[in-house]
Amino acid sequence: MTTTRTTLRDLVRIPGGGRYALSATVEAATSGMLRPFIVIYAVLIGLSAGQAGMTLTVGMLAGLGAVPLAGWWIDRGARRAPAVAALLVRAVGSLLLALVPGIAGFAIGAVLIGVGTQIAPPTNSALVAALAGPAQRAAALAAGRSLRNAGLGAGALLGTVLVASGPEMLRWLALATAVGCAFGAAVIARVPLPHQDPAPARAAATKKARGGGLRTVTVLALAGIPYAFYADILEIALPLLLVQGLHASLAWPSGIFVANTVMVIALQLVVVVRLAKWPHRTVLFWSGLLLAASYLAFWLGGATGGSPGTVLVAMAIVPYTLGEILYTGSSVPLVIESAPPHLMGRALARWQLSYGLARAVDPIIIITGLLSLGAAALWLPLAAATLLGSATVRLGTRRHRPHRSGESMSHAVADGGSPAVDGPLNKRLRMSPGRPASTVVAATTSVGPGHKLSGHPGRGRPGRRTGTRPPAF
């Protein structure tokens, strides 16, 4: 039987996987120490809460401008360097927060942190794709997200304890974040990569129009915009619903947040591995259905009111969390396998742009704006939009055949894969008791979303507390 522990062990056994896991854990733990207190820190150095929020938003929007450049860099054959750059930019930004405790230092630091945060998902996904190869990609990304989630949670808990000694500790937390990001960059810089020959990728790129072969990814990016709203539901919409709408105590949103985090850490790898036989497209489709169902349950809980409504909202966190896990476990692998290998960087950048734009307008325009009009104004359109996105994923991408990384050796090399690094998971799949031989063959020969175990469909990556959470501050 495949277990979470086994999958994490497989990640460490991949050449370079152990260093990647160490980098992800340290970076997440140190970043999580400051993330919950960044607005408080800004207020302490002279900004209002509104100014702090606007500065952080500007930083995230500036980061979106750097995403296409990161995609272009990846398509030029880079794998380690973009991931290292993302960490170093965040390290410098955090260092400015610690050493220049003024409005100017905070503004410049917020922009640098926003840039590093926005380019981190595509650069990390490209690096893992190069390390793990198609057969192990989904599991490796899921394992990395679980490590980041655990690190963020542990860091936030430690930061809470340290801040109790006084607000001056916040500057030291910013410094710790800078050191953690710099350490992670140093470790990633020494990660060994499989031999890559960029010539096939360059030759393939000259045969196609600029951006050609990305129509399916564009459809996915547009359909994924409603999905992206899930990330702020837990931290913004539900606290407003519970405290202001249902007049519940602050213990309810806090408890729901903790329950969601624990379920994500405990179930993410298990669910991803168990759904490995399903195409990524199917998993992403069911993710939309679960998220939409949870939004309707939140609306019903608010309409019911009182203690029964509060309990209903708390119970709806289960389908919400499962939808989140399915979304983060399938979206990025589906994007990678839907694009030609030589355009993987641009495909990941296009996906991150749609996700980042939704996250940028979500808190101010969508959630708080619609909630001010009434609960139905938020939950019903959000559920409908998510269902529409889910239907688009199901139907709109079926007409386009996914690109198989096994079509040619040149494609496999261009994608960063290597037969030498595909061994552990393939061996485990072949020897799994009770698994039909046809399923094993499909697992080792196909990575398309229309094939069983195509590159381990149910396991994607992306990020909030991330694997399921937004990238670490």
Side-chain angles (χ1 to χ4, degrees), residues 14-212:
I14 295 172
R19 291 180 180 178
Y20 174 80
L22 174 63
S23 171
T25 303
V26 173
E27 172 267 317
T30 52
S31 297
M33 293 167 60
L34 180 63
R35 182 178 172 183
F37 310 106
I38 182 61
V39 175
I40 297 176
Y41 179 75
V43 171
L44 289 176
I45 61 176
L47 279 73
S48 67
Q51 290 173 328
M54 184 59 65
T55 302
L56 293 173
T57 298
V58 169
M60 295 297 285
L61 291 176
L64 285 178
V67 169
L69 295 177
W72 174 84
W73 197 1
I74 292 169
D75 286 340
R76 297 286 294 178
R79 290 297 181 267
R80 278 185 307 237
V84 170
L87 287 169
L88 289 180
V89 169
R90 287 174 53 202
V92 174
S94 301
L95 191 64
L96 286 175
L97 295 184
L99 300 183
V100 187
I103 296 177
F106 183 85
I108 299 174
V111 170
L112 293 176
I113 290 171
V115 170
T117 297
Q118 291 284 26
I119 67 175
T123 57
N124 283 329
S125 297
L127 177 61
V128 172
L131 291 176
Q136 296 166 286
R137 180 183 298 150
L141 286 171
R145 264 199 327 278
S146 293
L147 290 173
R148 277 194 169 88
N149 286 339
L152 284 171
L157 179 60
L158 178 60
T160 301
V161 173
L162 293 176
V163 168
S165 63
E168 64 278 358
M169 180 59 65
L170 291 173
R171 187 181 301 180
W172 290 101
L173 296 185
L175 183 60
T177 299
V179 172
C181 290
F183 175 83
V187 173
I188 289 294
R190 297 178 60 83
V191 168
L193 288 178
H195 172 70
Q196 297 183 71
D197 180 8
R202 287 198 299 266
T206 61
K207 296 179 181 180
K208 294 194 176 185
R210 187 174 183 179

